[in-house]
PDB file of all heavy atoms in Angstrom:
ATOM      1  N   VAL A 329     -19.726  -1.829 -21.169  1.00  0.00           N
ATOM      2  CA  VAL A 329     -20.433  -1.149 -22.258  1.00  0.00           C
ATOM      3  C   VAL A 329     -21.929  -1.474 -22.208  1.00  0.00           C
ATOM      4  O   VAL A 329     -22.781  -0.582 -22.381  1.00  0.00           O
ATOM      5  CB  VAL A 329     -19.832  -1.534 -23.627  1.00  0.00           C
ATOM      6  CG1 VAL A 329     -20.663  -0.953 -24.767  1.00  0.00           C
ATOM      7  CG2 VAL A 329     -18.384  -1.061 -23.730  1.00  0.00           C
ATOM      8  N   GLN A 330     -22.264  -2.727 -21.973  1.00  0.00           N
ATOM      9  CA  GLN A 330     -23.670  -3.114 -21.873  1.00  0.00           C
ATOM     10  C   GLN A 330     -24.374  -2.355 -20.742  1.00  0.00           C
ATOM     11  O   GLN A 330     -25.519  -1.912 -20.882  1.00  0.00           O
ATOM     12  CB  GLN A 330     -23.789  -4.618 -21.654  1.00  0.00           C
ATOM     13  CG  GLN A 330     -23.394  -5.460 -22.864  1.00  0.00           C
ATOM     14  CD  GLN A 330     -23.279  -6.947 -22.523  1.00  0.00           C
ATOM     15  OE1 GLN A 330     -23.813  -7.400 -21.505  1.00  0.00           O
ATOM     16  NE2 GLN A 330     -22.597  -7.699 -23.364  1.00  0.00           N
ATOM     17  N   PHE A 331     -23.686  -2.207 -19.619  1.00  0.00           N
ATOM     18  CA  PHE A 331     -24.263  -1.468 -18.495  1.00  0.00           C
ATOM     19  C   PHE A 331     -24.480  -0.003 -18.863  1.00  0.00           C
ATOM     20  O   PHE A 331     -25.527   0.581 -18.568  1.00  0.00           O
ATOM     21  CB  PHE A 331     -23.368  -1.580 -17.269  1.00  0.00           C
ATOM     22  CG  PHE A 331     -23.839  -0.769 -16.090  1.00  0.00           C
ATOM     23  CD1 PHE A 331     -25.084  -1.003 -15.525  1.00  0.00           C
ATOM     24  CD2 PHE A 331     -23.034   0.224 -15.539  1.00  0.00           C
ATOM     25  CE1 PHE A 331     -25.529  -0.250 -14.438  1.00  0.00           C
ATOM     26  CE2 PHE A 331     -23.467   0.970 -14.457  1.00  0.00           C
ATOM     27  CZ  PHE A 331     -24.714   0.736 -13.906  1.00  0.00           C
ATOM     28  N   PHE A 332     -23.505   0.585 -19.540  1.00  0.00           N
ATOM     29  CA  PHE A 332     -23.663   1.964 -19.989  1.00  0.00           C
ATOM     30  C   PHE A 332     -24.869   2.107 -20.903  1.00  0.00           C
ATOM     31  O   PHE A 332     -25.642   3.056 -20.785  1.00  0.00           O
ATOM     32  CB  PHE A 332     -22.398   2.441 -20.698  1.00  0.00           C
ATOM     33  CG  PHE A 332     -21.204   2.654 -19.794  1.00  0.00           C
ATOM     34  CD1 PHE A 332     -19.952   2.936 -20.337  1.00  0.00           C
ATOM     35  CD2 PHE A 332     -21.316   2.578 -18.417  1.00  0.00           C
ATOM     36  CE1 PHE A 332     -18.857   3.144 -19.522  1.00  0.00           C
ATOM     37  CE2 PHE A 332     -20.217   2.778 -17.591  1.00  0.00           C
ATOM     38  CZ  PHE A 332     -18.982   3.069 -18.148  1.00  0.00           C
ATOM     39  N   HIS A 333     -25.052   1.144 -21.801  1.00  0.00           N
ATOM     40  CA  HIS A 333     -26.215   1.189 -22.686  1.00  0.00           C
ATOM     41  C   HIS A 333     -27.509   1.028 -21.891  1.00  0.00           C
ATOM     42  O   HIS A 333     -28.508   1.715 -22.172  1.00  0.00           O
ATOM     43  CB  HIS A 333     -26.106   0.090 -23.745  1.00  0.00           C
ATOM     44  CG  HIS A 333     -25.031   0.343 -24.761  1.00  0.00           C
ATOM     45  ND1 HIS A 333     -24.572  -0.636 -25.620  1.00  0.00           N
ATOM     46  CD2 HIS A 333     -24.314   1.462 -25.057  1.00  0.00           C
ATOM     47  CE1 HIS A 333     -23.624  -0.133 -26.396  1.00  0.00           C
ATOM     48  NE2 HIS A 333     -23.449   1.136 -26.061  1.00  0.00           N
ATOM     49  N   THR A 334     -27.513   0.151 -20.907  1.00  0.00           N
ATOM     50  CA  THR A 334     -28.682  -0.027 -20.055  1.00  0.00           C
ATOM     51  C   THR A 334     -29.050   1.279 -19.361  1.00  0.00           C
ATOM     52  O   THR A 334     -30.231   1.582 -19.156  1.00  0.00           O
ATOM     53  CB  THR A 334     -28.409  -1.116 -18.988  1.00  0.00           C
ATOM     54  OG1 THR A 334     -28.184  -2.359 -19.640  1.00  0.00           O
ATOM     55  CG2 THR A 334     -29.585  -1.263 -18.029  1.00  0.00           C
ATOM     56  N   MET A 335     -28.017   2.062 -19.024  1.00  0.00           N
ATOM     57  CA  MET A 335     -28.241   3.340 -18.359  1.00  0.00           C
ATOM     58  C   MET A 335     -28.443   4.483 -19.335  1.00  0.00           C
ATOM     59  O   MET A 335     -28.332   5.658 -18.963  1.00  0.00           O
ATOM     60  CB  MET A 335     -27.068   3.645 -17.422  1.00  0.00           C
ATOM     61  CG  MET A 335     -26.954   2.723 -16.218  1.00  0.00           C
ATOM     62  SD  MET A 335     -28.485   2.567 -15.261  1.00  0.00           S
ATOM     63  CE  MET A 335     -28.842   4.277 -14.871  1.00  0.00           C
ATOM     64  N   GLY A 336     -28.746   4.169 -20.582  1.00  0.00           N
ATOM     65  CA  GLY A 336     -29.114   5.198 -21.538  1.00  0.00           C
ATOM     66  C   GLY A 336     -27.976   5.955 -22.165  1.00  0.00           C
ATOM     67  O   GLY A 336     -28.176   7.024 -22.753  1.00  0.00           O
ATOM     68  N   MET A 337     -26.759   5.413 -22.070  1.00  0.00           N
ATOM     69  CA  MET A 337     -25.590   6.087 -22.626  1.00  0.00           C
ATOM     70  C   MET A 337     -25.324   5.652 -24.071  1.00  0.00           C
ATOM     71  O   MET A 337     -25.304   4.440 -24.351  1.00  0.00           O
ATOM     72  CB  MET A 337     -24.329   5.754 -21.803  1.00  0.00           C
ATOM     73  CG  MET A 337     -24.381   6.124 -20.336  1.00  0.00           C
ATOM     74  SD  MET A 337     -24.275   7.892 -20.026  1.00  0.00           S
ATOM     75  CE  MET A 337     -25.834   8.156 -19.174  1.00  0.00           C
ATOM     76  N   ASP A 338     -25.096   6.584 -24.968  1.00  0.00           N
ATOM     77  CA  ASP A 338     -24.470   6.286 -26.244  1.00  0.00           C
ATOM     78  C   ASP A 338     -22.960   6.260 -26.017  1.00  0.00           C
ATOM     79  O   ASP A 338     -22.427   7.090 -25.279  1.00  0.00           O
ATOM     80  CB  ASP A 338     -24.808   7.342 -27.300  1.00  0.00           C
ATOM     81  CG  ASP A 338     -26.252   7.250 -27.769  1.00  0.00           C
ATOM     82  OD1 ASP A 338     -26.710   6.111 -27.943  1.00  0.00           O
ATOM     83  OD2 ASP A 338     -26.885   8.293 -27.952  1.00  0.00           O
ATOM     84  N   THR A 339     -22.278   5.338 -26.643  1.00  0.00           N
ATOM     85  CA  THR A 339     -20.861   5.164 -26.360  1.00  0.00           C
ATOM     86  C   THR A 339     -19.964   5.461 -27.563  1.00  0.00           C
ATOM     87  O   THR A 339     -18.809   5.042 -27.600  1.00  0.00           O
ATOM     88  CB  THR A 339     -20.586   3.742 -25.836  1.00  0.00           C
ATOM     89  OG1 THR A 339     -21.156   2.783 -26.738  1.00  0.00           O
ATOM     90  CG2 THR A 339     -21.189   3.543 -24.451  1.00  0.00           C
ATOM     91  N   LYS A 340     -20.507   6.194 -28.529  1.00  0.00           N
ATOM     92  CA  LYS A 340     -19.714   6.624 -29.683  1.00  0.00           C
ATOM     93  C   LYS A 340     -19.853   8.139 -29.852  1.00  0.00           C
ATOM     94  O   LYS A 340     -20.961   8.682 -29.785  1.00  0.00           O
ATOM     95  CB  LYS A 340     -20.184   5.922 -30.961  1.00  0.00           C
ATOM     96  CG  LYS A 340     -19.888   4.426 -30.993  1.00  0.00           C
ATOM     97  CD  LYS A 340     -18.392   4.158 -31.030  1.00  0.00           C
ATOM     98  CE  LYS A 340     -18.084   2.676 -31.132  1.00  0.00           C
ATOM     99  NZ  LYS A 340     -16.619   2.411 -31.120  1.00  0.00           N
ATOM    100  N   LEU A 341     -18.741   8.795 -30.107  1.00  0.00           N
ATOM    101  CA  LEU A 341     -18.756  10.244 -30.283  1.00  0.00           C
ATOM    102  C   LEU A 341     -19.635  10.655 -31.461  1.00  0.00           C
ATOM    103  O   LEU A 341     -20.303  11.690 -31.418  1.00  0.00           O
ATOM    104  CB  LEU A 341     -17.323  10.752 -30.482  1.00  0.00           C
ATOM    105  CG  LEU A 341     -17.143  12.256 -30.647  1.00  0.00           C
ATOM    106  CD1 LEU A 341     -17.690  13.024 -29.453  1.00  0.00           C
ATOM    107  CD2 LEU A 341     -15.661  12.590 -30.867  1.00  0.00           C
ATOM    108  N   SER A 342     -19.659   9.844 -32.502  1.00  0.00           N
ATOM    109  CA  SER A 342     -20.445  10.172 -33.696  1.00  0.00           C
ATOM    110  C   SER A 342     -21.940  10.186 -33.416  1.00  0.00           C
ATOM    111  O   SER A 342     -22.713  10.725 -34.221  1.00  0.00           O
ATOM    112  CB  SER A 342     -20.136   9.171 -34.813  1.00  0.00           C
ATOM    113  OG  SER A 342     -20.334   7.833 -34.374  1.00  0.00           O
ATOM    114  N   ASN A 343     -22.372   9.642 -32.287  1.00  0.00           N
ATOM    115  CA  ASN A 343     -23.775   9.725 -31.907  1.00  0.00           C
ATOM    116  C   ASN A 343     -24.146  11.109 -31.380  1.00  0.00           C
ATOM    117  O   ASN A 343     -25.327  11.425 -31.208  1.00  0.00           O
ATOM    118  CB  ASN A 343     -24.102   8.678 -30.832  1.00  0.00           C
ATOM    119  CG  ASN A 343     -24.047   7.266 -31.371  1.00  0.00           C
ATOM    120  OD1 ASN A 343     -24.312   7.028 -32.540  1.00  0.00           O
ATOM    121  ND2 ASN A 343     -23.702   6.311 -30.525  1.00  0.00           N
ATOM    122  N   TYR A 344     -23.129  11.931 -31.079  1.00  0.00           N
ATOM    123  CA  TYR A 344     -23.369  13.240 -30.474  1.00  0.00           C
ATOM    124  C   TYR A 344     -23.048  14.407 -31.404  1.00  0.00           C
ATOM    125  O   TYR A 344     -23.584  15.493 -31.223  1.00  0.00           O
ATOM    126  CB  TYR A 344     -22.534  13.379 -29.193  1.00  0.00           C
ATOM    127  CG  TYR A 344     -22.941  12.439 -28.095  1.00  0.00           C
ATOM    128  CD1 TYR A 344     -22.324  11.194 -27.935  1.00  0.00           C
ATOM    129  CD2 TYR A 344     -23.952  12.788 -27.195  1.00  0.00           C
ATOM    130  CE1 TYR A 344     -22.706  10.325 -26.923  1.00  0.00           C
ATOM    131  CE2 TYR A 344     -24.335  11.924 -26.177  1.00  0.00           C
ATOM    132  CZ  TYR A 344     -23.700  10.701 -26.046  1.00  0.00           C
ATOM    133  OH  TYR A 344     -24.074   9.841 -25.046  1.00  0.00           O
ATOM    134  N   THR A 345     -22.136  14.207 -32.348  1.00  0.00           N
ATOM    135  CA  THR A 345     -21.756  15.299 -33.226  1.00  0.00           C
ATOM    136  C   THR A 345     -21.313  14.756 -34.581  1.00  0.00           C
ATOM    137  O   THR A 345     -20.617  13.727 -34.633  1.00  0.00           O
ATOM    138  CB  THR A 345     -20.609  16.138 -32.622  1.00  0.00           C
ATOM    139  OG1 THR A 345     -20.198  17.135 -33.568  1.00  0.00           O
ATOM    140  CG2 THR A 345     -19.404  15.274 -32.267  1.00  0.00           C
ATOM    141  N   PRO A 346     -21.667  15.447 -35.665  1.00  0.00           N
ATOM    142  CA  PRO A 346     -21.173  15.035 -36.983  1.00  0.00           C
ATOM    143  C   PRO A 346     -19.765  15.564 -37.255  1.00  0.00           C
ATOM    144  O   PRO A 346     -19.145  15.195 -38.258  1.00  0.00           O
ATOM    145  CB  PRO A 346     -22.185  15.676 -37.940  1.00  0.00           C
ATOM    146  CG  PRO A 346     -22.657  16.900 -37.221  1.00  0.00           C
ATOM    147  CD  PRO A 346     -22.667  16.534 -35.762  1.00  0.00           C
ATOM    148  N   GLU A 347     -19.251  16.394 -36.331  1.00  0.00           N
ATOM    149  CA  GLU A 347     -17.960  17.059 -36.546  1.00  0.00           C
ATOM    150  C   GLU A 347     -16.839  16.380 -35.757  1.00  0.00           C
ATOM    151  O   GLU A 347     -15.976  17.040 -35.194  1.00  0.00           O
ATOM    152  CB  GLU A 347     -18.081  18.525 -36.155  1.00  0.00           C
ATOM    153  CG  GLU A 347     -19.151  19.278 -36.939  1.00  0.00           C
ATOM    154  CD  GLU A 347     -19.359  20.695 -36.420  1.00  0.00           C
ATOM    155  OE1 GLU A 347     -18.713  21.047 -35.417  1.00  0.00           O
ATOM    156  OE2 GLU A 347     -20.167  21.438 -37.015  1.00  0.00           O
TER     157      GLU A 347
END
Side-chain angles (χ1 to χ4, degrees):
V329 174
Q330 290 170 18
F331 176 60
F332 289 173
H333 290 166
T334 297
M335 292 308 304
M337 301 288 120
D338 288 319
T339 52
K340 292 294 183 182
L341 182 58
S342 54
N343 291 330
Y344 294 93
T345 175
E347 302 174 356

